[in-house]
Amino acid sequence: TTDFERRRVGSTVEHGFPHQPSALGYSPSLQLLAIGNRSGAIKLYGAPGVEFMGLHDENAAVTQVHFLPHQVELVTLLDDNSLHMWTLRAHKGLSELLEIGRFMLTGPPGAPPSVTRVTAVLAHSSGELLLLGTEGGHVFVVEVPGFRELEERNISLDQVSNSVPDDYIGRRNLEHVEALQENPVNPNQVVIGYGRGLMIIWDLEKQRAIQHIPATQQLESVWWTEDGSYILSSHSDGSYYSPAAYRKRVICVLFLYLSRPPFLLFSGGMPRASYGDRHCITVIQNKTQVALDLTSRIIDFFVIRDGPNALVVLVEEELVVIDLQTEGWPVIQTPYLVPLHSSAITCSHHISTIPIKLWERVIAAGELQNTHYSKKPWPITGGQNLAPDPPQRDLLLTGHEDGTVCFWDASGVCLYPMYKLSTAAVFHTDADPNDNMNQGTEGEWPPFRKVGCFDPYSDDPRLGIQKIHLCKYSGYLTVAGTAGQILVLELNDEAAEQTVEAKVVDLLQGQEGFRWKGHTRLDVREEPVLFPPGFQPFALVQCQPPAVVTALTLHSEWKLVAFGTSHGFGLYDYQQKNNVLIKCTLNPSDQLAMEGPLSRVKSIKKSLRQSFRRMRRSRVSLRKHHVNNAAKIQDANARLEAELAEMELAPVQRKIEARSSDDSFTGLVRTLYFADTFLSDSSHNTPSLWAGTNGGCVFAFMLRLPPVEHRADEPVTAQPAKEIQLMHRAPVVGIVVLDGHGAPLPEPLEVAHDLARSPDLQGSHHLLVISEEQFKVFTLPKVSAKMKLKLTAVDGSRVRRVGVAWFGSSRSEDYGESGLVVLTNQGDLHVVSLPGVKMQVQYPCIRREDVSGIASCVFTKNLLWCSSLLSGFYLISPSEFERFSLSTRHVVEPRCLVEVPLHSDNSTKHRPLHDGFSSAHGCVPSNNVKSQRSCLYNVLCHREFWSGCNDITNLLCLLRELTC
């Protein structure tokens, strides 16, 4: 299954770095970059916001990408040996990437597959020919865009062998075609490089070899210098031009007159014994040399010569662009294709409509981190971004395994990095900060320089971020990790040196007989730590046992943070730095909650045994019921068949199976929620904290907050108020309180900033409890059941994610409705109306087999009354987010146009002869009917021809010129 088959209704754009890239291409005339990957996807990138995506029908890796010079077409080669033609076609003022043809070489009957197995492709500068080198040593010439093989122009292995001295051919076979290069100043000449090292300069017009260059080492690449004066070749023994001291393959070599003196660039060439684990590109200019030490295997690279000279390198895990004009050759920061997975993503959090002040402060903190980047602009500028400016400023926060939190500008098509927060400085970790295997030593030759940001190795897995909550109004941020740590941070524009003291919270509350078998907690640094400008920690809560934090929420108006693990939950006052509440939810029979994630594998057998027991109980019960009531069931079925002919079939609702209280992790806290509502009586509202567990239990605590003038002195107190046990013990995944108008309560500080209506405190409030099985509404303060909606499915659907959103009308700016957005384990999105709790629509969104995608999904957190953009994100690979939208008013998607480039004045010299006829708009001998027809075909297929046909008069004029 390919990545793109995961896309469903509402998918708008993909953010991040393509998973498993396999091919790189670039068009200097279009200034577009193309990347193909192993799943058959092809993606094009130009100026920021200019993006195109396509997918081959074949589930095969893209091995090569070649743009046709001065055209909007490109050709891809897949590892199934198929060639595909793509074009950027204009439609309603926008360009779209479309596949317009496919082709596969066919050899003579009985020939082995190697004869037509394509190993090298050359898109000729005329834009009309493809030269295809094969594994069998032949070169086929194909006319494009029609993919017509020109058999009379093919270059067979026999023709080449006959032009080479017998002593060379006698010693070795030529092997496959490794490289094809065109002479930059004479398009009739191409060099054919064979695997064994032989290079032949072939004249396309005269159809004969004009020079041969013998070599004794395996050929890796060929480069013809821009002035056409000589050819560079690289070989498997580490040599270019002539044998060198190094004995590792030089994979690719370039010699460029970007400036004086010229540049020499090559990849590989490093001694295997000493540097076998490094992926390097060496850049040499005069006496300056550096070996760029990249983070993963090199796929391909090229150099941009028009505008800011830059080296563009595609490696397996990121795209690196080097400024070749600035001293020191610094890296240019990429506005897209940033590796989201530089450290593995462990969680994400989205915030919409960020206030401008917070936005600017985050940007300022990020700019201080990016002083090492080049000041040159992004060099890939193709196409026009026609998308309107984003209606709001959105942030996407990603937590990572190494304890970092990355802030991304998610307002538009490009997911741009803004700021990076690291929490590792608060703790003592197991790694030595000076221990860097890639760090070069003084005097080392060649001089290494590490480039790129991909670093999948975590110093300590306990640092991993599991939950994030940011208040955009106050600037307070809280993050929670794998080892039970909860940090509270505030935004500071200046560097500060401070000590962060840990407050230990014992969630077991003194229960005996339990022994934590998981990882230990992190050691907090006792000495002051210098934190750079940005988010700086000032409070730390450490859960004991140090289990993964499973729920987290922040109320910046009350200065409270609530957190939960598999053992219980707590409430922390970060203003006074005191614990307010500790509640143990651990089931005495739940031994798995004591093991931690590192020993979770041991419990698989136990989980399987419990599942089989439940299955056996269900089957026995159903069998007895079937035997005793067979006759009744038959009668009921007969009545139903008669009734269904007269009425519409109602949705089948799956029967909910009661879960045992002995199931594992019943005490795990799944959701936490703050609400100002009615708990004691219907006339006095009070702050409250609600917690839902994996065992279907809901706890409510009444909070007493001192007056504002005494908030810093008097303690916050909490007392138990309500407890609800759902009948079927399904895990509680969401809690929402609805006010007197049936609207969800606003977020903290929203009303104070005039961004939300004040909640209705006159009418009665309702409590909506969302479990994996159903949606149930209770009245407050009595907590009596009012209505419920079971998840309508017959295939075992379960609620996995839930969010509240405001759906603005696409026709009226003043009208909208609140709704509940639900993602199931089947990958379906449901919208449930509020307060009526009725199913409205259902859309397929994520493949049901994509468990990681469903688990990673996050909905946008919108203002209830101001926002009109509802979308979500989920990981389609470790390095890519898919964005989807349920809004019709504003959709974030690429809207761009790529125009046909104008040919340069000397482009006519790049036209080879085809049996006496010329291409494009040249003259045709009147006595050559075949040539006239071929020329007419070429012109009619030429995009420039149709771009000039504004009306029928111009069309007739052009045809008259053609046939004159």
Side-chain angles (χ1 to χ4, degrees), residues 65-69 73-75 120-132 144 180 182:
V65 180
H66 299 274
F67 284 89
L68 300 187
E73 281 80 26
L74 65 151
V75 174
V121 177
L122 171 62
H124 196 267
S125 60
S126 65
E128 301 170 3
L129 292 180
L130 286 181
L131 276 68
L132 308 176
V144 289
L180 289 168
E182 179 182 340

Side-chain angles (χ1 to χ4, degrees), residues 326-593:
T326 304
E327 185 179 359
W329 302 330
V331 174
I332 301 176
Q333 188 173 20
T334 58
Y336 46 72
L337 290 174
V338 182
L340 307 175
H341 64 313
S342 54
S343 174
I345 297 175
T346 50
C347 67
S348 54
H349 178 69
H350 186 276
I351 313 100
S352 297
T353 324
I354 303 296
I356 184 62
K357 185 176 181 180
L358 175 63
W359 187 266
E360 291 175 346
R361 294 177 70 189
V362 172
I363 289 178
E367 288 177 347
L368 294 175
Q369 298 176 332
N370 298 331
T371 55
H372 61 285
Y373 284 113
S374 168
K375 302 301 181 183
K376 289 290 174 60
W378 180 243
I380 302 172
T381 58
Q384 304 174 43
N385 180 13
L386 302 180
D389 292 335
Q392 57 195 33
R393 293 172 296 272
D394 290 357
L395 272 178
L396 178 67
L397 276 62
T398 53
H400 299 266
E401 189 181 31
D402 62 354
T404 59
V405 177
C406 292
F407 288 62
W408 308 89
D409 179 357
S411 309
V413 171
C414 297
L415 197 64
Y416 187 77
M418 297 175 64
Y419 166 72
K420 185 175 182 179
L421 163 70
S422 177
T423 63
V426 181
F427 308 98
H428 290 283
T429 59
D430 297 338
D432 183 354
N434 297 319
D435 184 15
N436 189 347
M437 294 181 62
N438 289 318
Q439 205 169 32
T441 58
E442 187 176 354
E444 186 177 24
W445 185 261
F448 287 96
R449 178 157 69 90
K450 186 174 177 60
V451 293
C453 60
F454 177 71
D455 185 10
Y457 306 106
S458 174
D459 292 342
D460 193 327
R462 297 175 297 173
L463 289 169
I465 305 297
Q466 298 296 327
K467 296 292 177 181
I468 304 171
H469 194 114
L470 171 66
C471 175
K472 59 188 175 184
Y473 306 111
S474 64
Y476 284 111
L477 170 70
T478 179
V479 297
T482 303
Q485 71 272 26
I486 300 101
L487 280 167
V488 187
L489 309 96
E490 61 181 341
L491 191 57
N492 191 346
D493 300 328
E494 303 291 336
E497 188 175 21
Q498 59 194 34
T499 302
V500 183
E501 297 181 1
K503 194 75 172 181
V504 179
V505 176
D506 183 10
L507 291 175
L508 294 181
Q509 291 290 281
Q511 294 193 34
E512 298 180 357
F514 293 94
R515 184 171 61 88
W516 173 249
K517 303 176 184 178
H519 48 253
T520 59
R521 73 187 192 189
L522 289 162
D523 294 328
V524 182
R525 293 184 183 272
E526 297 179 356
E527 69 277 9
V529 178
L530 179 62
F531 295 103
F535 284 94
Q536 299 171 350
F538 67 91
L540 170 63
V541 179
Q542 177 61 59
C543 295
Q544 193 63 27
V548 174
V549 177
T550 57
L552 182 72
T553 188
L554 167 75
H555 201 296
S556 53
E557 194 170 358
W558 300 343
K559 302 293 191 297
L560 298 175
V561 170
F563 52 89
T565 70
S566 55
H567 306 117
F569 60 93
L571 182 63
Y572 178 74
D573 177 0
Y574 63 82
Q575 182 173 0
Q576 297 187 21
K577 298 184 179 180
N578 287 326
N579 294 326
V580 177
L581 166 67
I582 301 173
K583 172 67 176 178
C584 179
T585 58
L586 184 66
N587 190 316
S589 63
D590 189 0
Q591 292 297 322
L592 293 184

